[in-house]
Amino acid sequence: NILRWVQQVQLMHIFDNLIFNEDRTQENMLIGPDWKLWFIDSTRAFRPYRDLRAPEDIERCDRRLWNVLLQLDKEMVQRELEGALSPRLIRSILVRVDCLVAHLQNLIDERGEQRVIVDVEIS
């Protein structure tokens, strides 16, 4: 299913931009027998940068994820990540969430929502 594959790759790009993963290579992706994509080895992630790492890689987003991003409870994110990440890194992630939403909204404005926000079952 080509659409499912493209959506998995897009999800990987969104995830890597949110955590600022600087080391996504073919060696740290696994493809299961059902063509499910698994992201592994994020040891060069969670950087304090306040921009997206590679926004040009992001062209579409699953509708459910889009809705979560729009309604994200920032206090809950801080509570959940407290202790695992420094306050500075948590703030950086939250800023990147805002950057991602702005990037996707720009794509929607340019191309139309139906070409950017998609309904594809990944599981």
Side-chain angles (χ1 to χ4, degrees):
N1 182 336
I2 274 249
L3 289 175
R4 180 175 174 257
W5 177 256
V6 167
Q7 190 57 20
Q8 288 184 98
V9 171
Q10 284 298 295
L11 179 61
M12 178 185 65
H13 291 315
I14 290 170
F15 179 70
D16 283 343
N17 273 272
L18 287 176
I19 67 169
F20 213 97
N21 185 359
E22 297 178 311
D23 190 34
R24 178 67 62 209
T25 64
Q26 287 182 328
E27 288 78 30
N28 51 34
M29 297 183 293
L30 297 177
I31 302 171
D34 60 352
W35 285 88
K36 186 169 184 175
L37 184 58
W38 296 90
F39 321 144
I40 63 169
D41 188 8
S42 297
T43 55
R44 294 188 59 204
F46 299 105
R47 305 298 186 204
Y49 309 120
R50 299 173 72 83
D51 294 321
L52 297 175
R53 187 190 57 77
E56 66 278 1
D57 292 341
I58 301 169
E59 296 184 7
R60 54 186 56 87
C61 182
D62 175 73
R63 184 172 310 282
R64 290 172 297 175
L65 177 56
W66 174 241
N67 290 331
V68 167
L69 292 169
L70 290 175
Q71 299 171 12
L72 189 67
D73 180 343
K74 294 182 179 191
E75 289 76 26
M76 185 272 301
V77 171
Q78 290 175 321
R79 277 193 314 274
E80 291 295 321
L81 295 178
E82 187 177 50
L85 296 176
S86 71
R88 179 179 181 210
L89 292 178
I90 295 169
R91 284 191 306 273
S92 297
I93 289 173
L94 292 172
V95 168
R96 288 193 299 270
V97 167
D98 291 341
C99 291
L100 176 61
V101 168
H103 173 73
L104 288 167
Q105 187 60 58
N106 286 339
L107 291 176
I108 290 168
D109 294 345
E110 291 172 9
R111 302 175 184 174
E113 183 173 323
Q114 71 280 0
R115 298 182 106 178
V116 178
I117 306 303
V118 296
D119 296 298
V120 177
E121 185 62 37
I122 293 177
S123 57

